[in-house]
Amino acid sequence: MIGKVYAIPPQPHSERDTRLVPAGAVTLGVEYRDLDPEKLRATYAGNDAHLAELEETSPEGGFTDEGVSIHVFDAADGWEYLRFDVFEGEPHYHYVHRVPEGGEVVNNVIDFDEVAHGEMLPWVLDRLRGRLPEMLRNAGGADLAARVDAAEVEPAVAEVAALAEAAQAQVRASR
């Protein structure tokens, strides 16, 4: 596996703040996130092992960043297989591997290389349009990948693009 591998899941999306876009076998979500160390600690409160891993792997002072997150969920059961964090400071993406009941979470985080790939949002939209099944398989979602229909994904990606661009513009205008 490339990137960093964690045994803790990514911070769950906020149902209130996430716009869901149906795309056939998957549901795409768009959320503007403003993360800070206290919000992350609150996520894992009550789970000592996850909290310990968060503290051990966080940079000095904790992880603080903000930006648009684009989520890829299984429409049938809501499992989040992929997350693209188009953050201002440290853009990255996640493969959240499907694990058997009682198994350990595998959260594979890959830093985004803006020098090699350019701006992240267009890259993400291109991945959703052209590489989604391959990425789902890499996250342990082979069954889901087989059900993805590009004709259902394409119009949803257009809506995701508009939502993500609007969220970015709103935040940048308020600065």
Side-chain angles (χ1 to χ4, degrees):
M1 280 189 215
I2 62 170
K4 298 169 247 170
V5 179
Y6 300 100
I8 59 175
Q11 183 184 38
H13 73 285
S14 164
E15 290 185 25
R16 183 191 69 191
D17 297 328
T18 304
R19 294 280 308 272
L20 298 176
V21 181
V26 297
T27 299
L28 305 176
V30 179
E31 171 188 23
Y32 195 89
R33 302 174 60 133
D34 185 2
L35 300 179
D36 64 48
E38 291 310 312
K39 289 176 188 170
L40 288 169
R41 282 187 198 96
T43 297
Y44 302 109
N47 186 321
D48 292 340
H50 288 176
L51 193 55
E53 184 171 346
L54 174 69
E55 295 292 339
E56 180 182 313
T57 58
S58 289
E60 187 174 327
F63 183 78
T64 302
D65 211 341
E66 66 179 296
V68 173
S69 288
I70 298 174
H71 308 271
V72 180
F73 303 103
D74 184 328
D77 66 10
W79 181 266
E80 182 178 17
Y81 282 94
L82 302 169
R83 178 181 301 175
F84 301 91
D85 287 325
V86 187
F87 286 171
E88 297 292 324
E90 295 184 33
H92 59 276
Y93 58 102
H94 301 250
Y95 289 103
V96 187
H97 299 262
R98 191 69 183 248
V99 293
E101 187 69 34
E104 287 196 25
V105 171
V106 176
N107 176 15
N108 185 210
V109 180
I110 296 95
D111 293 331
F112 183 74
D113 182 350
E114 292 173 299
V115 173
H117 301 299
E119 188 179 340
M120 188 174 183
L121 183 57
W123 181 88
V124 170
L125 300 172
D126 191 49
R127 299 291 77 76
L128 293 173
R129 288 182 178 111
R131 306 269 323 149
L132 183 56
E134 292 85 353
M135 293 183 82
L136 289 168
R137 279 193 288 278
N138 193 55
D143 292 340
L144 177 59
R147 297 192 316 271
V148 169
D149 180 347
E152 293 177 306
V153 172
E154 179 58 37
V157 172
E159 186 174 346
V160 164
L163 290 168
E165 289 165 0
Q168 285 180 327
Q170 182 178 10
V171 170
R172 289 176 180 156
S174 69
R175 291 185 179 154

Coordinates of all heavy atoms in Angstrom, one line a residue, residues 23 25-26 28 72 81-82 84 95 124-154 157:
A23 N -25.8 8.4 -7.5 CA -25.1 8.0 -8.7 C -25.2 6.5 -9.0 O -24.1 5.9 -9.2 CB -23.6 8.5 -8.6
A25 N -25.1 2.9 -8.1 CA -24.6 2.0 -7.1 C -23.9 2.8 -6.0 O -23.7 2.2 -4.8 CB -23.7 0.9 -7.6
V26 N -23.4 4.0 -6.3 CA -22.7 4.8 -5.3 C -23.5 6.1 -5.0 O -24.3 6.5 -5.8 CB -21.3 5.2 -5.7 CG1 -20.4 3.9 -5.8 CG2 -21.3 6.0 -7.0
L28 N -22.5 10.0 -3.9 CA -21.4 10.9 -3.7 C -21.8 12.0 -2.7 O -23.0 12.3 -2.7 CB -21.0 11.6 -5.1 CG -20.7 10.6 -6.2 CD1 -20.4 11.3 -7.5 CD2 -19.5 9.7 -5.8
V72 N -17.3 9.0 -1.3 CA -17.9 8.0 -2.2 C -18.4 6.9 -1.3 O -17.6 6.1 -0.6 CB -16.9 7.4 -3.2 CG1 -17.6 6.4 -4.1 CG2 -16.3 8.6 -4.1
Y81 N -16.1 4.2 1.0 CA -14.9 3.5 0.4 C -13.8 4.5 0.1 O -12.6 4.2 0.2 CB -15.2 2.8 -0.8 CG -15.8 1.4 -0.6 CD1 -17.2 1.3 -0.6 CD2 -15.1 0.3 -0.4 CE1 -17.8 0.1 -0.4 CE2 -15.7 -0.9 -0.1 CZ -17.0 -1.0 -0.1 OH -17.6 -2.2 0.1
L82 N -14.2 5.7 -0.4 CA -13.2 6.7 -0.8 C -13.6 8.1 -0.3 O -14.7 8.4 -0.1 CB -13.2 6.8 -2.4 CG -12.9 5.6 -3.2 CD1 -13.2 5.8 -4.6 CD2 -11.4 5.1 -3.0
F84 N -12.0 12.1 -0.8 CA -11.0 13.1 -1.4 C -11.1 14.4 -0.6 O -12.1 15.0 -0.6 CB -11.3 13.4 -2.9 CG -11.4 12.1 -3.7 CD1 -12.5 11.4 -3.9 CD2 -10.2 11.7 -4.4 CE1 -12.5 10.3 -4.7 CE2 -10.2 10.6 -5.2 CZ -11.4 9.9 -5.4
Y95 N -8.4 5.7 0.9 CA -9.0 4.4 0.6 C -9.4 3.8 2.0 O -8.6 3.5 2.8 CB -8.0 3.4 -0.1 CG -7.6 3.8 -1.5 CD1 -6.4 4.3 -1.7 CD2 -8.5 3.5 -2.5 CE1 -6.0 4.6 -3.0 CE2 -8.1 3.7 -3.8 CZ -6.8 4.3 -4.1 OH -6.4 4.6 -5.4
V124 N -9.8 15.1 -9.0 CA -10.8 14.3 -8.3 C -12.0 14.0 -9.3 O -12.4 12.8 -9.4 CB -11.3 14.9 -7.0 CG1 -12.5 14.2 -6.5 CG2 -10.2 15.0 -6.0
L125 N -12.5 15.0 -9.9 CA -13.6 14.9 -10.8 C -13.2 13.9 -11.9 O -14.0 13.1 -12.3 CB -14.1 16.2 -11.3 CG -14.5 17.2 -10.2 CD1 -14.8 18.6 -10.8 CD2 -15.7 16.7 -9.5
D126 N -12.0 14.0 -12.4 CA -11.5 13.1 -13.5 C -11.5 11.7 -13.0 O -11.8 10.7 -13.7 CB -10.2 13.6 -14.0 CG -9.8 12.8 -15.3 OD1 -10.6 12.7 -16.2 OD2 -8.6 12.4 -15.3
R127 N -11.0 11.5 -11.7 CA -10.9 10.1 -11.1 C -12.4 9.5 -11.0 O -12.6 8.4 -11.3 CB -10.3 10.1 -9.8 CG -8.8 10.6 -9.7 CD -7.8 9.8 -10.3 NE -7.7 9.8 -11.7 CZ -7.1 10.8 -12.5 NH1 -6.6 11.8 -11.9 NH2 -7.1 10.7 -13.8
L128 N -13.3 10.4 -10.6 CA -14.7 9.9 -10.4 C -15.3 9.4 -11.8 O -16.0 8.4 -11.9 CB -15.6 10.9 -9.8 CG -15.2 11.3 -8.3 CD1 -16.1 12.4 -7.8 CD2 -15.4 10.0 -7.4
R129 N -14.9 10.2 -12.8 CA -15.5 9.9 -14.1 C -14.8 8.7 -14.8 O -15.4 7.9 -15.5 CB -15.3 11.1 -15.1 CG -16.2 12.2 -14.8 CD -16.0 13.4 -15.8 NE -17.0 14.4 -15.5 CZ -16.6 15.6 -15.0 NH1 -15.3 15.9 -14.8 NH2 -17.5 16.6 -14.8
G130 N -13.5 8.6 -14.6 CA -12.7 7.6 -15.3 C -12.0 6.5 -14.6 O -11.6 5.5 -15.2
R131 N -11.9 6.6 -13.2 CA -11.2 5.5 -12.5 C -11.9 5.0 -11.3 O -11.3 4.3 -10.4 CB -9.8 6.1 -12.1 CG -9.0 6.7 -13.2 CD -8.0 5.8 -13.9 NE -7.3 4.8 -13.0 CZ -7.0 3.6 -13.5 NH1 -7.2 3.3 -14.8 NH2 -6.4 2.7 -12.7
L132 N -13.2 5.4 -11.2 CA -13.9 5.0 -9.9 C -13.9 3.5 -9.7 O -13.6 3.1 -8.6 CB -15.3 5.6 -10.0 CG -16.2 5.4 -8.8 CD1 -15.5 5.9 -7.5 CD2 -17.6 6.0 -9.0
P133 N -14.3 2.7 -10.6 CA -14.3 1.2 -10.3 C -12.9 0.7 -9.9 O -12.9 -0.1 -8.9 CB -14.7 0.6 -11.7 CG -15.5 1.6 -12.4 CD -14.8 2.9 -12.0
E134 N -11.8 1.2 -10.5 CA -10.5 0.7 -10.1 C -10.2 1.1 -8.7 O -9.6 0.4 -7.9 CB -9.4 1.3 -11.1 CG -9.5 0.7 -12.5 CD -10.5 1.4 -13.4 OE1 -11.3 2.3 -12.9 OE2 -10.5 1.1 -14.6
M135 N -10.6 2.4 -8.3 CA -10.3 2.9 -7.0 C -11.1 2.1 -6.0 O -10.6 1.8 -4.9 CB -10.5 4.4 -6.9 CG -9.5 5.1 -7.7 SD -9.6 6.9 -7.6 CE -8.7 7.2 -6.0
L136 N -12.4 1.8 -6.3 CA -13.2 1.1 -5.4 C -12.7 -0.3 -5.1 O -12.6 -0.8 -4.0 CB -14.7 1.0 -5.9 CG -15.5 2.3 -5.9 CD1 -16.7 2.1 -6.7 CD2 -15.8 2.7 -4.4
R137 N -12.2 -1.0 -6.2 CA -11.6 -2.3 -6.0 C -10.4 -2.2 -5.1 O -10.1 -3.1 -4.3 CB -11.2 -2.9 -7.4 CG -12.3 -3.5 -8.1 CD -11.9 -4.4 -9.3 NE -11.4 -3.6 -10.4 CZ -12.2 -3.0 -11.3 NH1 -13.5 -3.1 -11.3 NH2 -11.7 -2.2 -12.3
N138 N -9.6 -1.2 -5.3 CA -8.4 -1.0 -4.4 C -8.7 -0.8 -2.9 O -7.9 -1.2 -2.1 CB -7.5 0.2 -4.9 CG -6.2 0.2 -4.3 OD1 -5.4 -0.8 -4.4 ND2 -5.8 1.3 -3.7
A139 N -9.9 -0.4 -2.7 CA -10.4 -0.2 -1.3 C -11.2 -1.4 -0.8 O -11.8 -1.3 0.2 CB -11.3 1.1 -1.2
G140 N -11.2 -2.5 -1.5 CA -11.9 -3.7 -1.1 C -13.3 -3.7 -1.5 O -14.1 -4.5 -1.0
G141 N -13.7 -2.9 -2.5 CA -15.1 -2.8 -2.9 C -15.3 -3.4 -4.3 O -16.0 -2.8 -5.1
A142 N -14.8 -4.6 -4.6 CA -14.9 -5.2 -5.9 C -16.3 -5.4 -6.3 O -16.7 -5.2 -7.5 CB -14.1 -6.5 -6.0
D143 N -17.2 -5.9 -5.4 CA -18.6 -6.1 -5.7 C -19.3 -4.8 -6.1 O -20.0 -4.7 -7.0 CB -19.3 -6.7 -4.5 CG -18.9 -8.2 -4.2 OD1 -18.3 -8.8 -5.1 OD2 -19.1 -8.6 -3.1
L144 N -19.0 -3.7 -5.3 CA -19.5 -2.4 -5.6 C -19.0 -1.9 -7.0 O -19.8 -1.4 -7.8 CB -19.2 -1.4 -4.5 CG -19.7 0.0 -4.7 CD1 -21.2 0.1 -4.9 CD2 -19.2 0.9 -3.6
A145 N -17.7 -2.1 -7.2 CA -17.1 -1.6 -8.5 C -17.8 -2.2 -9.7 O -18.0 -1.6 -10.7 CB -15.6 -1.9 -8.5
A146 N -18.2 -3.5 -9.5 CA -18.9 -4.2 -10.6 C -20.2 -3.6 -10.9 O -20.7 -3.8 -12.0 CB -19.0 -5.7 -10.3
R147 N -20.8 -3.0 -10.0 CA -22.2 -2.4 -10.1 C -22.2 -0.9 -10.6 O -23.2 -0.4 -10.9 CB -23.0 -2.5 -8.9 CG -23.2 -3.9 -8.4 CD -24.2 -4.1 -7.3 NE -24.1 -3.1 -6.2 CZ -23.4 -3.2 -5.1 NH1 -22.7 -4.4 -4.9 NH2 -23.4 -2.3 -4.2
V148 N -21.0 -0.3 -10.6 CA -20.9 1.1 -11.0 C -21.2 1.2 -12.5 O -20.6 0.5 -13.4 CB -19.5 1.7 -10.7 CG1 -19.3 3.0 -11.3 CG2 -19.4 1.8 -9.2
D149 N -22.1 2.2 -12.9 CA -22.4 2.4 -14.2 C -22.0 3.9 -14.6 O -22.6 4.8 -14.0 CB -23.9 2.3 -14.4 CG -24.4 2.5 -15.8 OD1 -23.7 3.1 -16.7 OD2 -25.6 2.2 -16.1
A150 N -21.1 4.0 -15.5 CA -20.6 5.4 -15.8 C -21.7 6.3 -16.3 O -21.6 7.5 -16.0 CB -19.5 5.3 -16.9
A151 N -22.7 5.8 -16.9 CA -23.8 6.6 -17.3 C -24.6 7.2 -16.2 O -25.2 8.3 -16.3 CB -24.8 5.8 -18.3
E152 N -24.6 6.6 -15.0 CA -25.2 7.1 -13.8 C -24.3 8.0 -13.0 O -24.7 8.9 -12.3 CB -25.7 5.9 -12.9 CG -26.8 5.1 -13.5 CD -27.2 4.0 -12.7 OE1 -26.3 3.2 -12.3 OE2 -28.4 3.9 -12.4
V153 N -23.0 7.8 -13.1 CA -22.0 8.5 -12.4 C -21.8 9.9 -13.0 O -21.7 10.9 -12.3 CB -20.7 7.8 -12.3 CG1 -19.6 8.6 -11.7 CG2 -20.9 6.5 -11.5
E154 N -21.8 10.0 -14.3 CA -21.4 11.2 -15.0 C -22.3 12.4 -14.6 O -21.8 13.5 -14.3 CB -21.4 11.0 -16.6 CG -21.1 12.3 -17.3 CD -19.8 12.9 -17.0 OE1 -18.8 12.2 -16.8 OE2 -19.7 14.1 -17.0
V157 N -21.4 13.5 -11.1 CA -20.1 14.2 -11.0 C -20.3 15.7 -11.4 O -19.7 16.6 -10.8 CB -19.0 13.5 -11.8 CG1 -17.8 14.3 -11.9 CG2 -18.8 12.1 -11.3

